[in-house]
Amino acid sequence: MVTNATADQAAERVRAAVEAGVNYFDVAPSYGNAEDMLGPALEPHRKGVFLACKTQGRTKDAATKELESSLRKMRTEHFDLYQHHAVTKRTDVETILGPGGAMEAFEAARKAGKVRFLASRRTRSRRRPP
């Protein structure tokens, strides 16, 4: 919606979407410059929307660093939903849930009021036979 848009284009697109009834926005650091464009554009509408963000950080330190960066770029004090992104391997799950894993950062962020809900997302799809 806003990746590679100008600041004015992003603001207009977000305004039009909100006026049309859109109340869920999803972003991730891996979406090009989406955070840089969506944050300022969404700021005037933030209280009326559900905002989701993702991290590919698998360790506590990496997830914390990405969360803080995303909060700053998105100009918000919290995300409504924060997700582990692209969890596709067993080793991802083991790292995320293990000692020093990203889940520790997620729990700390929830306790601090920086995220409301937590999730995990798998992005690799399985092909079904025709």
Side-chain angles (χ1 to χ4, degrees):
M1 172 181 232
V2 297
T3 301
N4 299 323
T6 67
D8 288 341
Q9 289 170 329
E12 175 56 27
R13 290 171 187 172
V14 168
R15 183 200 58 74
V18 170
E19 286 180 4
V22 173
N23 63 1
Y24 175 88
F25 290 84
D26 179 271
V27 70
S30 61
Y31 296 171
N33 70 340
E35 289 180 318
D36 297 314
M37 293 293 100
L38 185 59
L42 192 58
E43 190 173 21
H45 312 283
R46 178 62 182 100
K47 289 184 180 181
V49 301
F50 189 96
L51 182 57
C53 189
K54 303 175 194 77
T55 181
Q56 290 188 32
R58 300 300 188 238
T59 66
K60 179 181 180 181
D61 290 344
T64 299
K65 183 178 177 182
E66 219 167 50
L67 171 64
E68 295 300 332
S69 176
S70 292
L71 287 167
R72 187 180 67 258
K73 289 180 180 182
M74 290 301 300
R75 300 183 181 188
T76 188
E77 294 181 4
H78 78 280
F79 290 113
D80 298 295
L81 175 65
Y82 199 58
Q83 306 162 84
H84 301 285
H85 194 201
V87 178
T88 60
K89 299 179 279 187
R90 180 182 205 112
T91 55
D92 289 338
V93 175
E94 291 168 354
T95 302
I96 289 167
L97 298 179
M103 199 62 202
E104 291 180 13
F106 277 46
E107 285 293 335
R110 181 165 51 185
K111 286 178 184 170
K114 294 180 180 183
V115 297
R116 293 180 55 216
F117 300 101
L118 308 176
S120 184
R121 240 184 86 93
R122 181 172 192 243
T123 58
R124 185 171 49 184
S125 64
R126 294 183 185 176
R127 297 194 85 199
R128 295 182 185 184

